[in-house]
Amino acid sequence: MKITRLPLGALQTNCYIVSNGERLLVVDPSAEAKVIIGKLKDIGLPVDGILLTHAHYDHFGALDEVQAFTAAEVYMSDIEIDWLTDIAKNGSIRFTEEITSSVRPNTLKEGSAAVGGFKFDVIHTPGHSPGSLSYKFYDFVISGDVLFNKGVGRTDLYGGSTAEVMYSIREKLYKLAPETIVYPGHNTPTTIGDEKENNPYVR
């Protein structure tokens, strides 16, 4: 498995392209659709699906263009489907111009999942937002805005909960193997073991 990290947009939100050597998944097409599409063209493999960790505007700003280019199905939590068209819930009304999406996503529940040629575990990790999902592939997890490198997701936005984000990290993400690489929604990768030992917010 190979993962490409693209920090994009004003908030440098990470878009990830996951490759199994034959096919791709796109996770959180955050912004700058031309950059994402250009990278997909460079890699030159078909895209099996587009996953959203959650539906804040900075994580799906390029969704419609990337979906139109790839013709791939979109997957996310059913809890936040209406956020794609609700500018108050997705936060765009508060921080930037109105950002919405017209895609019709498929939904994922906690547990084992398969999208095209990819198998992974879906972990429901609410707190930053009620429908936040983390995606566990073999030796790494894409955690969205729940767990960061020496940080945690903010909880002062619509539907946020400090108690829930702490539970999600302690009781779900911290249960993963220490060597598991964490690819967060912002900033650089880390590991579960490093965060358990050194994260100042959750120990």
Side-chain angles (χ1 to χ4, degrees), residues 141 143 147-151 178-184 187-196 199:
V141 63
S143 64
L147 178 63
F148 296 124
N149 191 334
K150 311 304 179 292
E179 62 271 19
T180 303
I181 302 169
V182 179
Y183 289 101
N187 211 332
T188 55
T190 182
T191 66
I192 292 295
D194 193 12
E195 294 311 304
K196 288 177 73 172
N199 191 304

Side-chain angles (χ1 to χ4, degrees), residues 56 94-95 127-129 145 148 152-157 160-161 165:
H56 282 146
R94 179 176 175 184
F95 297 106
H128 175 66
S129 71
D145 286 1
F148 296 124
V152 300
R154 62 189 294 178
T155 58
D156 61 331
L157 303 176
S161 166
V165 82

Side-chain angles (χ1 to χ4, degrees), residues 132-192:
S132 288
L133 300 178
S134 296
Y135 300 111
K136 171 68 167 58
F137 298 82
Y138 301 105
D139 61 348
F140 67 89
V141 63
I142 299 175
S143 64
D145 286 1
V146 177
L147 178 63
F148 296 124
N149 191 334
K150 311 304 179 292
V152 300
R154 62 189 294 178
T155 58
D156 61 331
L157 303 176
Y158 179 86
S161 166
T162 299
E164 284 192 333
V165 82
M166 294 300 176
Y167 181 87
S168 292
I169 294 171
R170 288 195 181 104
E171 301 302 323
K172 294 191 175 183
L173 296 180
Y174 277 6
K175 300 297 185 182
L176 301 175
E179 62 271 19
T180 303
I181 302 169
V182 179
Y183 289 101
H186 302 269
N187 211 332
T188 55
T190 182
T191 66
I192 292 295

